[in-house]
Amino acid sequence: MDACEGLEWDSLRPRCAAGRQGSVCRDVPRILGASRGAVLMKVPFVDLKAQAESLGATYGSLLESIVSRAAYTMGPELKKFEEEFAAYSGCAYAIGVSTGTDALKLAYLAAGVGPGDEVIVPVNTFIATAEAVSHIGARPVFVDCLAETANIDPNLIESAITGRTKAIAPVHLYGQPADMDATLAIAQRHNIPVIEDACQAHGAEHRGRRAGSMGLAAAFSFYPGKNLGALGDGGAVVTNDGDIATRIRLLRNHGQEDKYTHRVVGYCDRLHNLQAAFLSAKLAHLDAWNVSRRTAANRYDAMLADVPGVQTLRVIDDVVHVHHLYVILVDDRDRVREALACAEIETGIHYPVPLHLTPAYASLGYSVGDFPVAESLAERTISLPMHPHLSSAQIEYVVEQLAEAVS
Ligand SMILES: Cc1ncc(COP(=O)(O)O)c(C=O)c1O
């Protein structure tokens, strides 16, 4: 028997998703609709199918063209996309690579990070920011975040610097640039390169400068759900430094300068030509999609301002936030998520475990209490549905259901 059946309205939503992690109780729409005349609306967390509907024909012709030429690796589409994405990011160079994680790895390597070195990383981020440090034998050193933005707290960076620190890697989390003025000033004082993790921030700006153009180099991810996503995995490193660009071009393709001339021991980290072609087609829509995300975020902000029990994050002055995710804070988070799941609203948590407490990093020796802000956020965050195709009606419905859940 379904866990929802036979329950009264008031007790139904908190209980119906209990023990069903992320799944929606299929009987809830029928039960709620019948008992209350309520109109239930399915609200997906992201909607990649809507994008595919408008661009499907373009994808088909790009596929046909590439297959007819068998232009699968290092082709003209890759070169074209690299030029377009460099210009879009306000950088002289973009080098397409296989994933955002590899983009970080190659950027750290090109900046001179190696075994035994340290890289300063926010503790509140996706694991890849730190993982790429570990992949090259270096050690991530975590720094807590700001409660009001969830981005790295620049006031804590300096005390984390040691004689082994070889890079600082701020993340433009959820699509909002980190405080780059403060971060770059510290980096400059200590002569340490900054590698931006811009994997969630395609098109974001900090005081007139595009995310990705402020540090020595930056990493982007084109994972399908990103603001600019491939039809599979992809990534890019962007930089204004010609030597860094040359090193990354070598490293991503077996260290090859020319065929079988291997200057360094490299990797097989190329961006597929086909993905580059899809990304070029999608890049033309990115600004419009980012505007739609911003409109949705502004609507959420305005409506949630009147909802007691829901805290929204702050957008800092003079930035362009591209709202990869729309994150709020509530008490009793898991119960609230369950209630939303029962109302057919998909949500996420970014991130449920701060990196210092994730089992993969137990060996670093951190413990509970080391990063109190990130630990508190991890217990209270919910990411609401956010994508360029979110309708006003869907936003109103999410806010209505959320207000009821927290009341
Ligand atoms: C902040 C951040 N860094 C790095 C990555 C890694 O990107 P990819 O999944 O393309 O390797 C992601 C992807 O989710 C991310 O969100």
Side-chain angles (χ1 to χ4, degrees):
M1 175 173 128
D2 193 286
C4 297
E5 262 170 23
L7 295 176
E8 294 301 314
W9 167 260
D10 283 335
S11 62
L12 182 59
R13 284 160 303 151
R15 285 187 55 193
C16 72
R20 299 167 170 248
Q21 294 239 309
S23 75
V24 170
C25 170
R26 293 289 143 207
D27 266 355
V28 166
R30 179 177 56 74
I31 295 164
L32 298 189
S35 63
R36 260 208 151 180
V39 179
L40 278 134
M41 199 185 291
K42 193 169 175 61
V43 190
F45 187 62
V46 292
D47 192 354
L48 297 180
K49 286 184 190 151
Q51 259 185 17
E53 269 166 32
S54 60
L55 287 169
T58 308
Y59 296 154
S61 58
L62 290 170
L63 176 65
E64 208 176 301
S65 160
I66 285 172
V67 170
S68 72
R69 288 176 284 125
Y72 302 120
T73 59
M74 308 299 280
E77 282 80 3
L78 175 61
K79 188 165 180 294
K80 174 173 174 285
F81 173 67
E82 288 177 338
E83 285 165 7
E84 291 167 352
F85 194 67
Y88 184 84
S89 307
C91 287
Y93 310 96
I95 303 100
V97 298
S98 40
T99 63
T101 309
D102 290 324
L104 283 162
K105 174 190 75 185
L106 298 179
Y108 295 146
L109 277 172
V113 179
D117 293 335
E118 294 176 358
V119 177
I120 292 177
V121 167
V123 74
N124 182 37
T125 178
F126 183 57
I127 192 170
T129 320
E131 227 173 5
V133 176
S134 308
H135 289 165
I136 56 177
R139 176 190 167 97
V141 172
F142 297 129
V143 165
D144 210 348
C145 57
L146 294 162
E148 51 179 12
T149 63
N151 261 327
I152 191 166
D153 184 345
N155 296 315
L156 302 175
I157 292 177
E158 204 146 25
S159 58
I161 294 174
T162 72
R164 288 188 296 277
T165 308
K166 286 288 168 52
I168 302 172
V171 178
H172 306 314
L173 198 69
Y174 311 148
Q176 165 155 238
D179 182 344
M180 291 303 287
D181 286 346
T183 306
L184 290 166
I186 296 162
Q188 206 170 5
R189 254 198 318 276
H190 293 266
N191 199 22
I192 297 170
V194 169
I195 303 298
E196 295 169 68
D197 182 338
C199 288
Q200 300 186 0
H202 317 67
E205 287 178 24
H206 182 274
R207 317 228 150 102
R209 297 171 75 188
R210 274 271 152 101
S213 68
M214 294 171 274
L216 178 64
F220 283 91
S221 164
F222 304 127
Y223 179 78
K226 299 297 189 201
N227 291 34
L228 178 64
L231 274 60
D233 280 308
V237 180
V238 298
T239 181
N240 280 309
D241 185 308
D243 291 338
I244 295 281
T246 303
R247 247 179 284 170
I248 287 170
R249 276 205 191 93
L250 280 177
L251 287 168
R252 74 150 169 205
N253 191 21
H254 301 288
Q256 289 189 120
E257 205 170 55
D258 305 305
K259 197 155 182 148
Y260 303 126
T261 308
H262 305 278
R263 287 283 159 222
V264 293
V265 175
Y267 300 85
C268 183
D269 282 350
R270 299 174 298 246
L271 175 64
H272 297 175
N273 202 43
L274 185 59
Q275 295 301 348
F278 295 147
L279 286 163
S280 276
K282 294 182 81 173
L283 184 59
H285 299 271
L286 180 56
D287 282 338
W289 287 336
N290 282 344
V291 167
S292 299
R293 286 175 181 272
R294 202 164 306 121
T295 304
N298 290 342
R299 198 164 271 146
Y300 271 136
D301 280 348
M303 295 182 77
L304 289 172
D306 299 327
V307 179
V310 174
Q311 191 187 329
T312 55
L313 295 180
R314 191 166 86 87
V315 179
I316 61 174
D317 292 341
D318 212 5
V319 296
V320 175
H321 189 327
V322 292
H323 300 282
H324 173 57
L325 294 167
Y326 187 86
V327 173
I328 57 160
L329 307 176
V330 294
D331 291 333
D332 206 358
R333 184 264 313 282
D334 294 340
R335 186 191 58 75
V336 173
R337 278 194 84 210
E338 284 175 11
L340 295 176
C342 278
E344 298 264 35
I345 296 166
E346 290 178 359
T347 60
I349 304 176
H350 300 85
Y351 295 92
V353 183
L355 292 184
H356 67 300
L357 300 178
T358 207
Y361 281 125
S363 63
L364 294 181
Y366 291 105
S367 36
V368 175
D370 284 346
F371 302 104
V373 179
E375 288 170 28
S376 157
L377 289 180
E379 285 178 6
R380 299 185 64 223
T381 54
I382 300 182
S383 306
L384 298 181
M386 173 49 76
H387 54 82
H389 311 282
L390 207 56
S391 69
S392 312
Q394 285 176 316
I395 294 169
E396 278 164 29
Y397 175 69
V398 171
V399 172
E400 234 172 64
Q401 297 297 320
L402 179 60
E404 223 175 289
V406 295
S407 64

